[in-house]
Amino acid sequence: MTWFITFIAHLLLGGVFVAYGVRNTRHVERLSGILAKRPFPLARPTVRFGVGLQIAGGALTVLAPFYAICGILGGVAMIVFLVLATVLFHPLWRYKGDERTPHFTATMLNSSLVGAFLLVIATSL
């Protein structure tokens, strides 16, 4: 029973990132535009890298119950993705007042997800 719960947890955690990553492949231009307004060099390649990392890390997380190395690699990939996504798309230090709220919320959610992926890594060691 424990294995089944662990499998479902990995499926939900990684699967969401695969689904959103696939969705993000259709929004590369919009996401690149957000970075380009900062201005950010190489916005499009950075977004493509991030979307690829999101899909690969999510897929590896799903496979973690079967192959420990997938849990380690997937967890690391997702932590890198979450840190980059937070810094690049939710720089809460640039905002004040009500405008800051959604970025603060995203930062807190992403921080909790980093904790979840640390658990994925720890259970794969």
Side-chain angles (χ1 to χ4, degrees):
M1 187 60 147
T2 301
W3 186 90
F4 181 71
I5 293 170
T6 301
F7 169 71
I8 295 299
H10 284 82
L11 180 64
L12 292 171
L13 184 61
V16 166
F17 282 95
V18 171
Y20 273 93
V22 169
R23 183 200 68 163
N24 284 339
T25 62
R26 292 178 274 145
H27 299 285
V28 169
E29 291 304 315
R30 182 181 63 79
L31 295 169
S32 299
I34 292 169
L35 290 184
K37 287 179 187 173
R38 300 248 157 94
F40 186 87
L42 303 172
R44 186 173 292 120
T46 300
V47 168
R48 286 185 178 148
F49 172 77
V51 170
L53 197 59
Q54 185 178 27
I55 294 169
L60 287 166
T61 299
V62 171
L63 295 173
F66 304 101
Y67 308 100
I69 190 68
C70 290
I72 296 165
L73 295 174
V76 169
M78 291 311 307
I79 290 169
V80 170
F81 169 78
L82 288 163
V83 169
L84 290 175
T86 302
V87 170
L88 295 176
F89 288 94
H90 303 290
L92 59 93
W93 57 90
R94 292 180 173 219
Y95 301 96
K96 295 196 184 308
D98 289 342
E99 195 177 21
R100 186 178 194 178
T101 301
H103 298 286
F104 179 79
T105 301
T107 299
M108 294 298 103
L109 288 170
N110 286 353
S111 296
S112 68
L113 286 167
V114 166
F117 286 108
L118 285 171
L119 284 171
V120 169
I121 293 168
T123 59
S124 296
L125 294 174

